[in-house]
Amino acid sequence: MAVRAYAAAPTGSHIDAVLLIDVSNSMKTSDKNNIAGEAMKMFIDMLSAQGDKVGIVAYTDEVQREKALLQINSAADKQDLKDFIDGLDRGPYTDIAVGMEEAVKVLQNGSDPAHEPMIVMLADGNNDFNQATGRTQSQSDTELAAAVETAKKNGYPIYTIGLNADGKLNKQSLADLSGKTGGKAFSTDTADDLPEILSEIFASHLKLKIVPVQSITANGNYQDVTVNVPNASVLEANISIMSSQPVEAKLTDPSGKSVAIPSNDILLSQSKTYSLIKLLSPQQGDWKLQIKGVPKDKIDINLVFNYDLELKMDALPSKTYKKGDTIDIASRLYSNGTQVTLSNLYQNMKAVLLATDTDTGKTEEIPLDNTGDVFKGTFEVKDSHNYELKVRAEESSFYRESDTLTVNAKTGAAGAGATQAPAGTGTDPAEEKPASKSLYYIIGAVLLLLAAGVAFWLLRQKATRGFVGQLVIEVQDGNTGEKTYPQYKKLSAFRGKFNLHQLLQLAPELKESENLVFTPVKNDRILLRSSAEGIAVERSGRAADASSGLELKSGDRISVTLQTVDKTILMEYLV
């Protein structure tokens, strides 16, 4: 397994997480090695040293034990949470709805509006009711659907880790929970997968960039793994090590000095299945990690970088412009609220202005200059339309996007509100005696014009009908099976229609997707129509005909397999 680095969100994007775990007796077989406990403890260890909040809900067919959101301020807080996990007992019966309802309530009652909320669920996805209570599957399904709907409305993505030691995992039920809320579903029957799964959860939740590094197979000697800290804005570098046999580790900083594990700025967390080394405010440069393991043993290592960086655009001089105007664009990096002036940090990044014409839905990507301590460029207003502007900056280990600024360049309809002097005000006597036939012709012409105007207005209303909701998009590689991180595309900026290629940032290799066009229809639904033969469209795993129009409602999931490249576009429509 490749070692991968994940860049976390900027300062202020702390996590409020509820860990939801099934502790029913059925888990003795579906999770006989207590992977759930190890996963929860590793998740806690991967969180920032300070600032994140964690709650725990353990359920059977009732809430067995619960811990409200606890803000992590020290290693003792993390240990308190892990001790709580070690003290969980099992009980009879299972009712997923009971656990999910309580997890949602914990976030509603204690989540910080400035934090990123999430639910991480560890279960086998199966219910087992106590017949003496008269509880039915239908009742549970109704309550679960209501809890999931509340989670979706409040922006609580649900990430599920399905535990499948006995092969009885209800994978689809867990995938549905994740899919309806913008989370992701995983499954495993071994603790070896945990670093990869948990890193993917962090990456997906905080919309992070994944960077391949190296991996090792133990040979009985110390082997070098390079951990590159790309700049001084890295708050934490988390190194998780998973191996079936004990390993030894040494660490050398970029100056060549050996560093003790643990020490003041090097934290160490260990359990029976993993070790996690956390570097606090590490020095920029190449750190050398040396790992010694039992020969031929597979050692999986993951890196998670937490950054103290955010990207902001300078305010525009005005929000109102006209066609032909040129707007100066400037965007800067900030660390802990203070502007970053290190020019080499800017020069190591690529920055672009993403300018979206909200009238047409087309997005233009304009490269920005990065030679100084600011990203700068210009934007020309090409039409009398409204625009949304934001800057994206990225380098090998992370990316940032600024907030969106709006530009109004509409001039209004020509002649709107204009008046004319009434006929017959001249001095020619003939003007005072209009012919009756001419008057009829004039009235008829006016009525025809009004009818045409109304018809045009109705067509125009249909052509410019707005969209609601968003599309969650992933691109899957047909050769490797790997997916990109989910992209959440709000549709409110589009009017009338748009094509899939526009949502895919006009990527040249995916040009074929421009043959798939979306239009809004009644009841907050959208219509997908394909104008090309050979593009395979599936809805909920079944082939669908999009040539005459495929109507999608909230929660519908579709996949589009392209012909010219071995790629599949996975989409879910959410309102």
Side-chain angles (χ1 to χ4, degrees):
M1 183 185 298
V3 181
R4 298 205 276 184
Y6 301 83
T11 294
S13 292
H14 285 297
I15 289 174
D16 283 355
V18 174
L19 303 177
L20 176 61
I21 179 172
D22 178 353
V23 292
S24 63
N25 287 331
S26 65
M27 297 291 283
K28 291 179 180 178
T29 54
S30 58
D31 184 24
K32 60 184 178 182
N33 295 319
N34 193 25
I35 295 172
E38 292 299 295
M40 287 191 294
K41 288 189 282 188
M42 179 178 283
F43 182 93
I44 291 165
D45 283 331
M46 290 174 69
L47 293 172
S48 297
Q50 291 185 329
D52 294 324
K53 297 167 74 174
V54 179
I56 301 171
V57 174
Y59 71 95
T60 54
D61 63 337
E62 59 185 10
V63 176
Q64 290 288 98
R65 293 190 66 190
E66 177 181 335
K67 194 172 188 67
L69 287 171
L70 171 70
Q71 182 161 318
I72 296 172
N73 293 315
S74 65
D77 291 331
K78 290 191 175 185
Q79 190 59 49
D80 180 36
L81 291 162
K82 290 189 283 185
D83 288 343
F84 182 89
I85 292 167
D86 285 336
L88 295 177
D89 295 320
R90 299 210 182 275
Y93 312 116
T94 318
D95 191 340
I96 295 173
V98 170
M100 186 60 67
E101 282 181 321
E102 193 63 24
V104 171
K105 288 178 183 177
V106 170
L107 283 176
Q108 286 180 306
N109 294 333
S111 181
D112 187 326
H115 289 193
E116 297 287 344
M118 66 191 302
I119 295 172
V120 180
M121 181 180 186
L122 302 106
D124 60 13
N126 297 304
N127 280 334
D128 180 18
F129 301 117
N130 181 358
Q131 294 183 357
T133 65
R135 177 75 160 177
T136 66
Q137 183 68 49
S138 176
Q139 291 172 325
S140 178
D141 288 345
T142 299
E143 292 178 16
L144 178 61
V148 171
E149 182 64 24
T150 300
K152 184 172 76 171
K153 288 182 178 178
N154 285 278
Y156 305 157
I158 300 170
Y159 295 87
T160 58
I161 302 176
L163 305 171
N164 195 34
D166 60 358
K168 297 180 180 179
L169 172 67
N170 190 337
K171 189 174 182 179
Q172 188 57 51
S173 71
L174 296 180
D176 288 344
L177 296 177
S178 296
K180 291 175 181 176
T181 58
K184 294 186 81 170
F186 304 86
S187 61
T188 182
D189 57 7
T190 171
D192 292 348
D193 297 333
L194 292 183
E196 182 75 7
I197 289 174
L198 294 171
S199 294
E200 288 284 353
I201 288 175
F202 273 85
S204 178
H205 186 57
L206 296 175
K207 301 177 180 63
L208 314 177
K209 190 171 182 178
I210 301 173
V211 182
V213 194
Q214 67 181 93
S215 62
I216 63 173
T217 300
N219 60 13
N221 300 314
Y222 279 103
Q223 295 168 267
D224 294 347
V225 175
T226 299
V227 178
N228 176 260
V229 177
N231 55 66
S233 294
V234 174
L235 286 176
E236 299 175 351
N238 297 280
I239 308 168
S240 61
I241 305 169
M242 183 75 70
S243 176
S244 61
Q245 301 291 330
V247 299
E248 299 176 42
K250 295 180 180 180
L251 192 63
T252 305
D253 70 18
S255 69
K257 178 183 176 181
S258 179
V259 182
I261 307 174
S263 56
N264 287 339
D265 295 324
I266 311 294
L267 306 182
L268 175 65
S269 305
Q270 290 180 302
S271 80
K272 61 184 179 181
T273 60
Y274 72 87
S275 297
L276 191 137
I277 302 170
K278 185 185 290 286
L279 314 183
L280 302 179
S281 300
Q283 179 183 344
Q284 180 180 347
D286 289 338
W287 290 66
K288 183 170 71 174
L289 175 66
Q290 294 180 294
I291 300 293
K292 181 180 179 181
V294 176
K296 297 184 179 180
D297 193 21
K298 183 182 74 170
I299 301 176
D300 293 331
I301 306 171
N302 273 28
L303 307 178
V304 181
F305 289 153
N306 295 338
Y307 280 92
D308 174 21
L309 281 177
E310 58 181 325
L311 183 66
K312 296 181 181 180
M313 282 181 67
D314 290 1
L316 302 180
S318 170
K319 286 191 175 182
T320 303
Y321 296 87
K322 65 180 183 299
K323 179 179 178 180
D325 283 349
T326 298
I327 305 173
D328 290 328
I329 301 297
S331 184
R332 308 167 200 274
L333 293 165
Y334 289 81
S335 175
N336 198 26
T338 302
Q339 182 184 332
V340 176
T341 57
L342 299 173
S343 58
N344 65 325
L345 185 57
Y346 290 82
Q347 291 162 17
N348 288 334
M349 296 187 192
K350 173 187 175 183
V352 294
L353 174 69
L354 300 174
T356 300
D357 183 329
T358 59
D359 290 49
T360 66
K362 181 179 180 181
T363 298
E364 182 181 7
E365 191 171 295
I366 303 169
L368 299 179
D369 179 79
N370 64 341
T371 55
D373 58 358
V374 59
F375 302 118
K376 57 185 179 181
T378 58
F379 170 67
E380 181 184 351
V381 179
K382 295 180 179 179
D383 290 292
S384 298
H385 294 168
N386 286 339
Y387 295 86
E388 289 183 346
L389 308 179
K390 68 178 178 180
V391 173
R392 178 186 176 104
E394 60 184 318
E395 58 108 56
S396 60
S397 61
F398 70 99
Y399 76 90
R400 293 291 178 268
E401 287 187 352
S402 71
D403 290 336
T404 300
L405 300 182
T406 301
V407 169
N408 182 350
K410 287 185 179 291
T411 59
T419 59
Q420 290 183 329
T425 57
T427 57
D428 189 339
E431 292 182 354
E432 299 177 4
K433 300 178 181 179
S436 58
K437 287 186 179 180
S438 298
L439 180 60
Y440 292 142
Y441 291 147
I442 292 171
I443 293 173
V446 169
L447 291 174
L448 287 173
L449 286 172
L450 286 173
V454 169
F456 175 78
W457 180 83
L458 290 172
L459 290 172
R460 177 65 177 170
Q461 286 296 104
K462 183 176 180 180
T464 59
R465 179 184 288 160
F467 292 83
V468 297
Q470 60 183 336
L471 278 171
V472 185
I473 297 180
E474 296 174 282
V475 180
Q476 184 174 35
D477 189 301
N479 296 314
T480 66
E482 292 188 357
K483 300 177 186 176
T484 62
Y485 56 83
Q487 299 181 52
Y488 297 79
K489 301 290 188 178
K490 291 186 177 181
L491 307 182
S492 57
F494 295 102
R495 308 292 297 182
K497 64 180 180 179
F498 65 89
N499 65 56
L500 180 57
H501 197 216
Q502 292 171 250
L503 287 189
L504 300 173
Q505 299 295 325
L506 304 177
E509 67 168 343
L510 305 176
K511 184 174 175 58
E512 183 182 3
S513 62
E514 68 184 7
N515 294 310
L516 292 149
V517 177
F518 293 92
T519 53
V521 291
K522 295 180 180 179
N523 301 320
D524 291 341
R525 299 188 178 194
I526 57 176
L527 192 71
L528 171 64
R529 181 175 282 106
S530 173
S531 61
E533 295 182 1
I535 297 181
V537 178
E538 293 185 354
R539 175 162 58 184
S540 301
R542 296 183 178 180
D545 181 10
S547 61
S548 57
L550 180 65
E551 189 171 296
L552 305 177
K553 64 181 184 301
S554 182
D556 279 352
R557 289 186 287 176
I558 59 172
S559 64
V560 176
T561 302
L562 304 179
Q563 279 190 310
T564 56
V565 291
D566 198 2
K567 304 281 187 184
T568 298
I569 315 300
L570 308 174
M571 292 177 283
E572 180 178 9
Y573 178 50
L574 298 174
V575 176

